[in-house]
Amino acid sequence: MVAFVDGQPVDSFVGVLPMQELRQFVGRLLPDPAEIERRKALRLLAGGDKDGAATALRAAIALDPERDAARMDLAQMLLAEPAQSTRLGEAADCLAGVSAAGKLTPHWNALNTQLLSLQRAAELPSIEILQARLGADPADLQARLDLANLHLARHEIGPALEHLLAIVERDRAFGGDIGRRTMLSVFDLAADQPELVSSFRRRLSAALNR
């Protein structure tokens, strides 16, 4: 017997269980109050009620501060519309509170990359100024990195990856290999654009094997 929750296998047993043990088995599958709030948030978000969804996610986190899924769901919502610095601050707190195991997941890595880009973008010159710097000196790798962060803050994945790849091609050691490391994080962020990611993975591999 295999039990599935949201399409994923979560528990199983072989043979026949006494009724009491079977009840316990089923009981472990039922959502707790924090998970109920999280699922409520997902329903509200699907219906377009972003404020209601955020409130439900905050309730889920309050009920269970170690609920990584709720923390990352809320961070993703806040980063999608970071019009206020308070939203970035709350998103940063959500991601910082994720468990050590959760921080190893591609989803957390993608959200953290997005957060860092938004934080850096708030302190950077305009795209026009950085493009002028790069026009005057194509080897200005810091300008390329800053442009990549500005594009990432706008979720312009292609232009950001172009600048990061150029950094790798010109000087892989720049910034402690930041071009390659950031590209790998952006691949997680752009999981919904598989063709773009696949193309840049091939180009990165070619640059690294020259």
Side-chain angles (χ1 to χ4, degrees):
M1 174 71 71
V2 179
F4 288 78
V5 175
D6 293 333
Q8 300 298 318
V10 296
D11 204 351
S12 65
F13 66 85
V14 177
V16 179
L17 293 180
M19 180 58 71
Q20 183 59 30
E21 292 183 29
L22 183 59
R23 291 182 184 277
Q24 292 173 352
F25 176 83
V26 174
R28 291 195 298 270
L29 304 175
L30 299 177
D32 57 27
E35 184 61 19
I36 290 172
E37 287 292 335
R38 177 175 176 261
R39 294 187 183 199
K40 174 184 174 182
L42 297 178
R43 291 195 301 272
L44 290 170
L45 186 60
D49 185 356
K50 296 179 181 179
D51 291 338
T55 298
L57 287 171
R58 292 184 183 105
I61 295 169
L63 287 165
D64 183 2
E66 298 181 359
R67 188 62 53 109
D68 286 350
R71 286 185 173 277
M72 287 192 273
D73 287 344
L74 181 55
Q76 185 170 350
M77 281 190 60
L78 295 168
L79 293 174
E81 298 180 7
Q84 302 174 1
S85 60
T86 53
R87 294 176 72 89
L88 283 184
E90 186 178 4
D93 290 342
C94 286
L95 294 178
V98 170
S99 68
K103 290 177 180 176
L104 297 178
T105 62
H107 186 39
W108 185 91
N109 191 41
L111 291 172
N112 193 56
T113 297
Q114 188 176 2
L115 171 66
L116 292 176
S117 296
L118 288 165
Q119 289 174 329
R120 291 166 182 158
E123 303 172 355
L124 292 175
S126 68
I127 281 185
E128 292 73 20
I129 291 175
L130 291 171
Q131 288 175 333
R133 277 177 50 187
L134 200 57
D137 180 10
D140 187 345
L141 300 187
Q142 185 60 52
R144 288 192 180 277
L145 181 60
D146 291 345
L147 279 167
N149 279 310
L150 284 177
H151 284 302
L152 286 176
R154 300 180 180 188
H155 209 70
E156 297 167 351
I157 303 299
L161 287 172
E162 288 288 359
H163 286 299
L164 293 169
L165 181 61
I167 292 172
V168 174
E169 292 172 337
R170 287 175 175 271
D171 182 3
R172 180 175 171 183
F174 174 75
D177 197 18
I178 194 169
R180 181 191 65 85
R181 290 189 292 107
T182 305
M183 284 189 76
L184 295 179
S185 296
V186 175
F187 291 157
D188 291 333
L189 180 63
D192 59 341
Q193 302 180 54
E195 292 184 3
L196 180 69
V197 169
S198 178
S199 173
F200 274 98
R201 282 191 186 277
R202 290 194 298 271
R203 294 173 63 184
L204 176 60
S205 178
L208 295 176
N209 289 293
R210 285 179 180 174

